[in-house]
Structures are given as C-alpha cells and as structure tokens.
Amino acid sequence: MNQVLKGKGLENSTTCPACGTDVRTVDQFCLECGSPLTHAPKLSTPPRLQLNLSNQIWAGQRSVLVGRLCNQNDAPWDGELEIVGRGLTSSRSFRVSLKPESLAQFDFEFLPEIPGSYSMKISATPNEGTAYEAQIVIDVPEISGPTIVNVTDARHNEAKFIVGQESNIEVNVPQQAEVQSGLRAENFVDIDWQTSSQSLAIEVLSSVIKEPTGPYQNPQRFRADQISLCIHESACERNICLHAKQVVTLGKQSENDIVLRLLPESPENDAAWARISRSHAEIEFTDKGAIWRNLQCSNGTFIDEQLTEADEFLLMRSGMVFSPANVLELKVETFAEDRIAGDTVPYQRFATRHLDATLPETLGQHQGLRIVRTGNLENEEYVVMQRCVSIGSSRLCTIQLAGSDVRPVHAQLLWIGETFWIESLHEAEPILVKGTSLSVNQLFPLSPGTTLTIGSTEISVGQHHQLHVED
C-alpha cells in the first residue's frame, strides 16, 4: 500500500486515501495509519478581476477607472496585465507579481470624446500558461443622461454590486444579481474571464434631493457673481476665485474677471506680463461646451505649446495648458457633473418661492472649470461654474479639499438668484457655518465674512474674487 501511495498527489484533499482519516494539506504522513502523503499543488486559477464602476462618465470628461487583480491560488501568480481600447488616454501594460491570497490595484484614465459605445479589452497573461481576456463596453450618454456600463462576460448569477450610502448611486441589474446596500462607497464588480455571453447593465442615477428646508426664509443675501474662498488646510492657504458667469474675461487690465499679471512686481515680471493684452481672451459656456476664445490680442495664446492667433477659439478639455502671450501657464480641468440635473424641481420651487428668481439654465457638457496657475501665484486658482459644483476630497469635485476627514463629495455650491449657496450632503458630518451645524437639505447664502468648516478644513468667504488685484 505504501508503494502505491508514494508520490500520489492529493489535490486539495482533506482525507487519507488509505484509511479515510482527516488530514491537513501540510501533513506528510497520515496520523492514523502512517501512510506517506504527497499533496499536489492547488490547481492554478486566473486572478479574480474586479472593476470599480461607480464614477459617472460623460463625453469630454476625463475619468479614472480603478480595478484590481486578486490571486486566489496557493502559489504566486506572475504575469502581464494589458488594457487596450477606444477612449483610453493611453494603453496600459505592466507586470504583476501576486503572492498567494493577495491583490494588486491598478487604474487607467478614460476620456471619451463624444457620446457613444466604447469597447475595452483587459487581458492577463501568466509567465506560463493560458492568457485570459475580458471585455467591457461603456455607453457614454449625452450630458443629461445616466451612465450605463455594460459588462460582458460577467458571472450573471453570482454578480454582487456593493452600493455605498455616500455614493448616491442606484444600480439597475437583473433579478439574478444580488445588491448589497449601505456597505461602502466603492463599487467593485466581479468580471469573469470569457466564460459566459451574458451581459449586465449598471445605470448610475442622481439621487433624489428633497426640497431644501432651513435658514433661508429671510436670508441676508449677498448678490454677486464672483467671490473668493480662502482655504485653510494644515499649514498652507490657497485662494479660489469663484465665477458664476456664462462669459469670463481674461487680460492684464484690472476690470477683467481673471487678471493676468505676474507677481511680485519687478522690472522682469513687468516686462513679461506687458506682452499680455489688456483684454486678451474670454471663456464662454456654449452648447458645445466651454470654449477659449482669443480676443484682439497682440501675441496670441499658446495652447499645449501651439500658438493660436487673435479671434481663434478652441473647445476646452481637461489637461490643456493655456499660456497667454507665452507668459504664464494656466492648467485647465473640466467637470461635467451637475448634481441637481436629475431633480431640479425642489430647487426651482425654492428659487421661485423665496427668491423671486428662476433656476439658471445650463449649456453644453461642461458645468464647471478649474484653472490652476503654475509657476506664479500657485496658491491661487479659479473656478468658473454655471449653477452647481461639488466640494470634496474626490478628484471629480470641482472644488477639492485635501483633509482626510472630508468626504469624497461632502457638499455642493450653487448659484441661484444671483447668490452663492452652500448645501451639506452628509447628516453625520455636517458643515459648520459660523460655528453652527448646517443640516442636510439646508441652503445657506454665502457672503463676505462667512466662515465654513468642512471636516478640519476652514474656509473664509471674501468679497475680492482675486487676491493681490484690488485696484
């Protein structure tokens, strides 16, 4: 018997084949009958592929999709992961070395130029063995519609979608799938490797917002279309110049919305920014999106190092760098999310009843722009908005806060009735306005001197929309 058992593999077995006694995978001999045991290694399975598909995706908007590989084998898994497809800013290919029962996270940028279907292929090729592939198709809607992600080759009967309380996401899946609610904000979806032709659709919708209630019956409103927010984070401060306009002007003249000057004053800086025209350019929200338009400027604007002349214009996209007269650089990020677009009724009712105003209409795919100066006055940035932008720690928020106790989307800023309003989105972690908690669905008007506390971050509201330019 011993000769027969010698060298025989017990693949994932927990019993001795000679006497039937329970054994462990680490045992070399059966403790009952003394027969030698040789365990075969656990059969190698492909790493488990998961994608986080919780982000809203719009045409012209850069998004970061996050995935992870989970090694469920007893042995290491080494190989290459490759992601290719339409809409990726670049193909991703990198080596992966996973220890047993470990995982590796990866991300890739997705930038769909126009609405439509975008197909991507993810392949995992081990150093030895068979390559595995998975296909996903992302349907990018018009700006007013939801994001629908069709995951092909997904395990139709075993899929689990985890929906976080903070994520404001509803998931529409077949009845066979299981939905777990209120666990966490991340929404990692298991994707199978070429084993089924079934398809699942994930529909991301705006959460329903109740009619605002609270301290606005007779608000002391500060009517303005531009203010400043001084952000106090740890040991640093930065100023956000906030503009709620369809058209924003840029130039060296102080009457412009964004004044383009180099500071501190010096003969060298003065000679440089003198090349910028008094009224150099303008940014306008159109039905196509936000555009940069040169005015009658003498030295043009370098856009991604390419010169554009006077009267030329270009649709703005995330990552573009604008350099008026090649003097200073402005890096642009575009944001497409309008959180109140899915349910404007309560806000329209609020505007009509309490402000004798109407809710501003929006144009095009861009709801907000974040413009950051590089190389000069790096503590100052500009946010240009239509009617609503998000505040939080997520990179998808137009106004981004770095505090570890700030939620990914903590609040939103609205412009209604020629006034800026702040609205808290989390009951458990309310915003403090002048030391008083602001409940969810309350709107509070911002005015010079107002102080806000979000987590440990303090924000001071100022009247001068741009620092150092008060003349």
Side-chain angles (χ1 to χ4, degrees):
M1 181 181 297
N2 290 347
Q3 291 180 349
V4 174
L5 290 176
K6 188 175 182 180
K8 182 178 178 63
L10 304 179
E11 184 177 314
N12 302 328
S13 178
T14 58
T15 60
C16 173
C19 65
T21 303
D22 292 341
V23 296
R24 299 174 301 173
T25 57
V26 295
D27 290 338
Q28 297 181 3
F29 297 90
C30 175
L31 299 179
E32 181 67 24
C33 67
S35 300
L37 304 174
T38 302
H39 296 273
K42 185 178 179 180
L43 289 178
S44 177
T45 59
R48 180 178 169 193
L49 173 63
Q50 296 180 316
L51 289 183
N52 186 351
L53 301 172
S54 62
N55 292 339
Q56 295 221 12
I57 301 171
W58 306 109
Q61 176 69 46
R62 187 186 306 269
S63 300
V64 178
L65 302 183
V66 180
R68 58 193 184 191
L69 287 178
C70 308
N71 182 17
Q72 303 173 88
N73 298 313
D74 289 337
W77 190 94
D78 296 297
E80 183 175 358
L81 182 72
E82 184 178 28
I83 308 167
V84 296
R86 178 168 166 255
L88 298 179
T89 56
S90 62
S91 298
R92 292 293 306 274
S93 179
F94 46 89
R95 302 293 303 175
V96 177
S97 182
L98 293 173
K99 296 180 179 179
E101 306 297 333
S102 66
L103 62 85
Q105 188 158 301
F106 59 91
D107 60 67
F108 52 96
E109 287 191 342
F110 179 56
L111 178 58
E113 296 290 335
I114 58 175
S117 295
Y118 291 78
S119 176
M120 282 178 280
K121 181 177 71 174
I122 302 177
S123 60
T125 306
N127 294 339
E128 297 180 1
T130 306
Y132 301 92
E133 293 183 354
Q135 186 88 4
I136 64 173
V137 179
I138 299 180
D139 291 329
V140 179
E142 300 288 347
I143 190 64
S144 58
T147 297
I148 299 176
V149 180
N150 295 308
V151 182
T152 61
D153 300 333
R155 285 187 295 235
H156 191 62
N157 295 321
E158 301 178 17
K160 291 185 179 180
F161 298 83
I162 301 176
V163 182
Q165 293 174 329
E166 307 94 343
S167 60
N168 294 328
I169 290 174
E170 297 177 12
V171 179
N172 180 20
V173 298
Q175 292 182 351
Q176 293 92 329
E178 177 182 351
V179 178
Q180 300 182 4
S181 180
L183 297 183
R184 62 172 184 239
E186 293 180 331
N187 295 266
F188 280 99
V189 177
D190 282 342
I191 297 179
D192 212 0
W193 302 103
Q194 287 189 340
T195 59
S196 171
S197 60
Q198 300 290 349
S199 174
L200 298 181
I202 304 170
E203 187 172 1
V204 183
L205 306 172
S206 298
S207 61
V208 178
I209 302 174
K210 301 176 182 178
E211 179 176 4
T213 58
Y216 58 70
Q217 297 299 329
N218 293 293
Q220 298 297 315
R221 291 195 287 144
F222 176 70
R223 295 175 181 267
D225 54 15
Q226 53 190 32
I227 57 174
S228 66
L229 304 177
C230 185
I231 313 293
H232 307 271
E233 295 175 315
S234 300
C236 64
E237 292 186 0
R238 57 192 173 96
N239 186 60
I240 296 179
C241 310
L242 192 62
H243 302 269
K245 290 185 172 185
Q246 184 178 349
V247 180
V248 171
T249 60
L250 304 92
K252 67 181 181 183
Q253 195 173 14
S254 60
E255 285 78 9
N256 287 286
D257 297 310
I258 298 179
V259 181
L260 303 177
R261 296 181 182 177
L262 292 181
L263 293 175
E265 295 183 358
S266 68
E268 182 180 0
N269 282 345
D270 293 348
W273 66 260
R275 292 171 46 81
I276 301 174
S277 298
R278 295 170 64 86
S279 298
H280 195 98
E282 64 183 18
I283 296 172
E284 180 180 3
F285 289 110
T286 72
D287 56 357
K288 300 296 183 182
I291 63 171
W292 174 287
R293 179 184 291 110
N294 285 336
L295 301 177
Q296 291 296 318
C297 50
S298 303
N299 298 303
T301 300
F302 284 79
I303 303 177
D304 289 341
E305 300 182 350
Q306 298 294 319
L307 176 63
T308 58
E309 303 286 354
D311 297 323
E312 292 184 342
F313 65 91
L314 189 68
L315 182 67
M316 303 177 74
R317 299 195 184 281
S318 281
M320 282 184 168
V321 177
F322 295 79
S323 180
N326 205 23
V327 172
L328 54 83
E329 290 187 347
L330 305 172
K331 186 175 181 179
V332 172
E333 293 181 60
T334 63
F335 299 88
E337 184 181 26
D338 181 359
R339 294 183 60 85
I340 69 173
D343 189 12
T344 59
V345 174
Y347 295 95
Q348 181 60 66
R349 188 184 299 121
F350 165 68
T352 303
R353 291 180 179 177
H354 304 286
L355 307 179
D356 192 23
T358 59
L359 190 67
E361 297 291 335
T362 62
L363 288 173
Q365 59 182 319
H366 300 137
Q367 301 304 309
L369 304 173
R370 180 169 176 254
I371 305 172
V372 179
R373 293 179 63 137
T374 60
N376 186 261
L377 291 185
E378 292 185 339
N379 65 331
E380 184 159 276
E381 60 190 59
Y382 316 99
V383 168
V384 185
M385 60 179 287
Q386 296 206 58
R387 69 181 181 193
C388 177
V389 294
S390 299
I391 303 175
S393 59
S394 170
R395 290 192 297 172
L396 299 180
C397 289
T398 312
I399 299 177
Q400 299 172 16
L401 305 179
S404 59
D405 50 2
V406 177
R407 294 291 187 94
V409 182
H410 204 117
Q412 59 189 12
L413 196 68
L414 302 106
W415 191 67
I416 306 175
E418 300 180 348
T419 301
F420 291 97
W421 304 81
I422 187 77
E423 180 180 9
S424 177
L425 300 178
H426 293 283
E427 192 74 52
E429 299 177 7
I431 297 174
L432 300 181
V433 180
K434 298 181 179 180
T436 302
S437 296
L438 184 66
S439 300
V440 170
N441 297 328
Q442 287 184 324
L443 298 181
F444 192 89
L446 300 185
S447 59
T450 300
T451 58
L452 308 172
T453 304
I454 302 178
S456 58
T457 302
E458 185 174 295
I459 303 175
S460 303
V461 180
Q463 181 171 358
H464 294 292
H465 65 283
Q466 191 166 345
L467 294 179
H468 314 298
V469 182
E470 301 180 4
D471 54 334

